């Protein structure tokens, strides 16, 4: 019988040779026994030195597992990672970020002891020049929370998930999104498991690296390009919600209520984005939403009087 581990760190990797060692160093210097802890690296067709760096670390640390595949995007890499998990918990770490040293064991002990479903790490931002250094984080303060579905995290990094909860939810990341694929995954997971136990750390355990060339850094949030992309995301979010409701006949009534409320919010946001887009008319967006039988949330109705939606 295969021995069950306690934790997997899933690290999607694509051309991050400049930062990858910091990430791996931070993961292997945790105090969790290698017999209970696995690092799953999904190398998605890197063309730089990332593959060699992974191989070197794999030679020194047998609990590192490397999966080489073609580049099909971050969503597919994360889905592969989840399918490979054999542990009670898993977490995602972006390959240009890193984790505070000697922090995971205390968090994992607390999560397993109290049968926690989600652990949300506090995080701090760092720049491209910052390198990982060992530090001791003592006496992490934990705060237990009930799930607030409206406050689902926008990112999957910095969250520890209980594996069987995710698998029972039958959720996967969708590759249709260019950005923000994390959010709909977390929102639907929260809605389906709205009675779950959440633990939040007060210490900045996760170190998020802000890179000048990253998509989030260079995007002009006022541009029509961004607004059109956001509009398309909102419509795709609605489709993901509809598909989830259809595919989960075992859902509770409250779960569907949460999801339909959020669909109305997505519809309202789509219309607001449409006000800033020349490439699509408000009438076209209205038609799309009516076809989907989704209507804007009432608290935003006042925003649409000028366009004759009400």
């Amino acid at each position: 019988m295969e021995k069950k581990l306690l934790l997997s760190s899933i690290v999607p990797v694509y051309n991050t040779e400049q930062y990858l060692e910091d990430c791996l160093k931070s993961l292997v210097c945790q105090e969790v026994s290698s017999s209970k802890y696995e690092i799953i690296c999904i190398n998605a067709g890197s063309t730089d030195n990332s593959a060699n760096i992974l191989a070197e670390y794999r030679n020194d640390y047998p609990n590192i597992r490397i999966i080489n595949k073609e580049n099909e995007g971050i969503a597919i890499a994360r889905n592969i990672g989840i399918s490979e998990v054999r542990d009670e918990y898993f977490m995602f770490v972006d390959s240009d970020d890193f984790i505070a040293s000697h922090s995971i064991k205390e968090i994992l002990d607390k999560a397993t002891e109290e049968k926690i479903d989600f652990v949300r790490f506090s995080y701090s931002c760092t720049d491209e020049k910052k390198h990982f250094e060992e530090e001791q984080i003592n006496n992490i303060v934990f705060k237990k929370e009930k799930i607030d579905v409206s406050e689902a995290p926008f990112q999957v990094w910095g969250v520890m998930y209980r594996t069987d909860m995710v698998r029972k939810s039958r959720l996967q990341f969708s590759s249709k999104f260019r950005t923000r694929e994390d959010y709909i995954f977390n929102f639907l997971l929260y809605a389906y498991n709205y009675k779950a136990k959440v633990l939040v750390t007060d210490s900045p355990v996760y170190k998020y690296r802000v890179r000048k060339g990253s998509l989030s850094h260079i995007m002009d949030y006022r541009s029509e390009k961004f607004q059109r992309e956001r509009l398309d995301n909102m419509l795709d979010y609605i489709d993901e919600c509809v598909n989830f409701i259809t595919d989960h006949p075992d859902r509770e009534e409250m779960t569907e209520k949460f999801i339909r409320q959020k669909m109305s919010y997505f519809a309202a946001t789509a219309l607001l984005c449409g006000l800033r887009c020349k490439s699509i008319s408000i009438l076209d967006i209205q038609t799309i939403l009516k076809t989907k039988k989704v209507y804007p949330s009432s608290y935003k109705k006042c925003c649409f009087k000028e366009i004759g939606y009400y």
Side-chain angles (χ1 to χ4, degrees), residues 24-287:
L24 295 174
K25 282 179 185 177
S26 77
L27 294 174
V28 299
C29 81
Q30 302 299 326
E31 295 173 339
V32 184
S33 168
S34 60
S35 63
K36 296 182 179 180
Y37 172 45
E38 184 174 49
I39 301 165
I40 303 173
C41 299
I42 317 294
N43 179 35
S46 294
T47 56
D48 63 0
N49 198 43
S50 295
N52 291 330
I53 294 170
L54 290 173
E56 289 173 7
Y57 270 80
R58 174 65 182 83
N59 289 336
D60 293 333
Y61 300 95
N63 62 325
I64 292 180
R65 192 150 56 103
I66 303 170
I67 299 172
N68 292 302
K69 62 175 295 298
E70 62 182 322
N71 184 14
E72 298 176 281
I74 187 73
I76 301 299
R78 285 173 174 162
N79 289 336
I80 290 173
I82 293 175
S83 70
E84 293 289 331
V85 167
R86 300 173 292 170
D87 315 68
E88 189 170 347
Y89 290 92
F90 70 87
M91 63 182 186
F92 294 104
V93 182
D94 285 356
S95 59
D96 53 353
D97 299 337
F98 54 94
I99 302 288
S101 58
H102 312 295
S103 58
I104 296 301
K105 185 178 185 301
E106 185 177 352
I107 295 170
L108 187 58
D109 287 346
K110 185 76 171 177
T112 53
E113 177 187 342
E114 301 197 16
K115 295 181 170 53
I116 297 297
D117 300 301
F118 296 94
V119 182
R120 287 168 47 193
F121 303 160
S122 295
Y123 69 93
S124 60
C125 293
T126 186
D127 61 24
E128 295 174 291
K129 297 178 181 179
K130 174 72 174 178
H131 291 290
F132 167 75
E133 297 176 355
E134 285 203 38
E135 59 180 320
Q136 187 70 45
I137 294 184
N138 296 311
N139 302 318
I140 296 175
V141 176
F142 298 96
K143 182 172 66 172
K144 291 174 71 173
E145 295 182 352
K146 291 183 178 179
I147 274 190
D148 182 347
V149 177
S150 66
E151 296 295 327
F154 278 87
Q155 69 285 329
V156 293
W157 50 259
V159 182
M160 187 182 290
Y161 300 88
R162 187 163 55 80
T163 304
D164 64 351
M165 177 193 64
V166 174
R167 287 186 172 151
K168 286 176 182 177
S169 303
R170 306 191 302 283
L171 270 169
Q172 287 196 318
F173 292 93
S174 172
S175 58
K176 70 172 68 172
F177 300 103
R178 184 165 176 252
T179 59
R180 297 295 191 186
E181 75 285 343
D182 304 29
Y183 176 66
I184 195 65
F185 178 90
N186 277 334
F187 167 70
L188 292 173
L189 194 60
Y190 264 44
Y192 192 64
N193 300 280
Y194 68 90
K195 297 177 183 177
K197 296 180 181 178
V198 181
L199 202 62
V200 180
T201 71
D202 73 326
S203 302
V205 171
Y206 195 95
K207 310 297 182 178
Y208 174 73
R209 194 187 301 274
V210 180
R211 293 196 284 151
K212 290 182 179 179
S214 67
L215 186 63
S216 60
H217 189 87
I218 63 176
M219 181 66 74
D220 179 358
Y221 295 100
R222 296 167 296 181
S223 68
E224 178 169 346
K225 180 181 178 182
F226 173 79
Q227 294 299 331
R228 181 55 199 258
E229 186 173 292
R230 191 175 185 218
L231 163 60
D232 291 339
N233 268 1
M234 294 302 117
L235 298 178
D236 286 338
Y237 283 168
I238 290 171
D239 289 340
E240 290 290 305
C241 289
V242 171
N243 291 338
F244 186 87
I245 291 172
T246 302
D247 295 342
H248 292 74
D250 60 337
R251 67 188 180 279
E252 294 189 23
E253 183 178 339
M254 189 59 72
T255 292
E256 182 165 349
K257 180 180 178 181
F258 286 137
I259 293 174
R260 293 201 180 278
Q261 286 175 344
K262 185 61 74 172
M263 287 167 67
S264 293
Y265 169 82
F266 293 150
T269 305
L271 284 164
L272 286 176
C273 291
L275 286 172
R276 305 180 179 98
C277 291
K278 298 177 182 177
S279 59
I280 187 170
S281 70
I282 290 296
L283 181 59
D284 287 340
I285 300 172
Q286 291 178 14
T287 301

